Amino acid sequence: MATGSSSPAGPQPFKLILGSSSVARKHILEEMGLEFQVMTADIDEKSIRRENPDDLVMVLAEAKADAIMSRLNMADYQKEGDQPTLLITSDIFVDFEVVVHEGIIREKPTTKEEARQFLKGYSGGHVSTVGSVVVTNLTTGKRLGSLDKAEVYFHDIPDEVIENLIDEGVVFRVAGGLLLEHPLTLPFVEAVVGSSDSVMGLSKEIANKLIHDALSL
């Protein structure tokens, strides 16, 4: 069970499951002061395709929720008098606008060369992200979802910094290899339009709203 240092004074009136092993998403929920447990979906994300990035991230977040729920005994979460249990899943894609304005959807890099290509592409340029958040009330079976978008503008990123990020290996665990708040990356972020937590994989504002609304379903 994880908990944030800024947890509310009283006990949390619901149980929360984070359907992700993402370190960034764990950190975001901890910053929100939420207690939660972690379960992973373990789905083949590349087997699920949609041409529209908005559709794709929402379908993937829902697929993650469905995969986790398929491994649970739902009756355990629907006992009368028990606290409600919420499952939160999300997904994010990075859309890099190249000089000819051709939108390229970027997922997690799979090779060093691909990661290098991604990171060099960000240098002196900008990216847009679209992220989904889905909250499922396991007690009632009801589900809510929403999208959030942001843009990030970068200064020129030195080749040495790019190689250090690749050698560290963390770039292979995030969409587009984009690590906004990494100590090596942060000095080269010129501006963020939207919320940085959305770029990191989970919008606090949307998560808060969906959690609140899901508890009333």
Side-chain angles (χ1 to χ4, degrees):
M1 179 79 72
T3 181
S5 57
S6 58
S7 298
Q12 186 169 291
F14 59 91
K15 297 176 183 177
L16 182 64
I17 299 170
L18 170 62
S20 172
S21 60
S22 162
V23 173
R25 292 187 179 107
K26 291 177 191 174
H27 182 62
I28 288 168
L29 288 185
E30 288 168 354
E31 284 187 333
M32 293 170 65
L34 294 170
E35 297 180 354
F36 58 94
Q37 65 180 107
V38 173
M39 294 184 182
T40 56
D42 300 323
I43 64 171
D44 179 8
E45 296 186 25
K46 291 190 176 182
S47 69
I48 301 173
R49 299 290 83 180
R50 297 291 187 277
E51 289 196 9
N52 186 313
D54 293 12
D55 295 339
L56 182 56
V57 293
M58 187 60 71
V59 167
L60 283 167
E62 291 175 345
K64 291 175 183 178
D66 290 341
I68 291 170
M69 290 172 65
S70 72
R71 303 198 306 266
L72 300 175
N73 181 357
M74 297 306 297
D76 291 341
Y77 299 91
Q78 297 168 351
K79 295 175 181 176
E80 187 173 352
D82 282 0
Q83 281 188 328
T85 300
L86 304 181
L87 168 63
I88 185 167
T89 52
S90 60
D91 201 84
I92 184 168
F93 274 83
V94 180
D95 189 358
F96 175 58
E97 296 295 323
V98 298
V99 176
V100 293
H101 305 292
E102 178 187 357
I104 301 174
I105 298 175
R106 292 187 162 177
E107 302 180 67
K108 297 172 185 175
T110 55
T111 66
K112 287 187 175 183
E113 184 53 41
E114 188 175 37
R116 189 174 294 112
Q117 177 189 352
F118 286 4
L119 294 171
K120 283 181 178 289
Y122 303 143
S123 182
H126 89 282
V127 298
S128 59
T129 65
V130 54
S132 60
V133 182
V134 170
V135 174
T136 306
N137 188 325
L138 299 183
T139 304
T140 64
K142 303 293 186 179
R143 176 177 292 176
L144 296 171
S146 188
L147 296 172
D148 192 55
K149 297 184 180 183
E151 293 185 57
V152 185
Y153 292 81
F154 292 94
H155 296 294
D156 291 337
I157 305 173
D159 289 346
E160 180 181 358
V161 170
I162 290 174
E163 294 305 318
N164 287 339
L165 285 166
I166 292 171
D167 290 342
E168 190 175 297
V170 68
V171 294
F172 298 103
R173 300 198 294 272
V174 293
L178 183 60
L179 295 158
L180 185 63
E181 295 186 353
H182 191 284
L184 290 175
T185 309
L186 192 56
F188 303 100
V189 175
E190 180 179 1
V192 178
V193 180
S195 66
S196 60
D197 42 87
S198 177
V199 178
M200 296 301 292
L202 185 65
S203 163
K204 291 179 183 178
E205 181 180 357
I206 288 179
N208 258 328
K209 182 179 187 307
L210 292 181
I211 287 172
H212 177 271
D213 291 349
L215 287 171
S216 64
L217 291 177

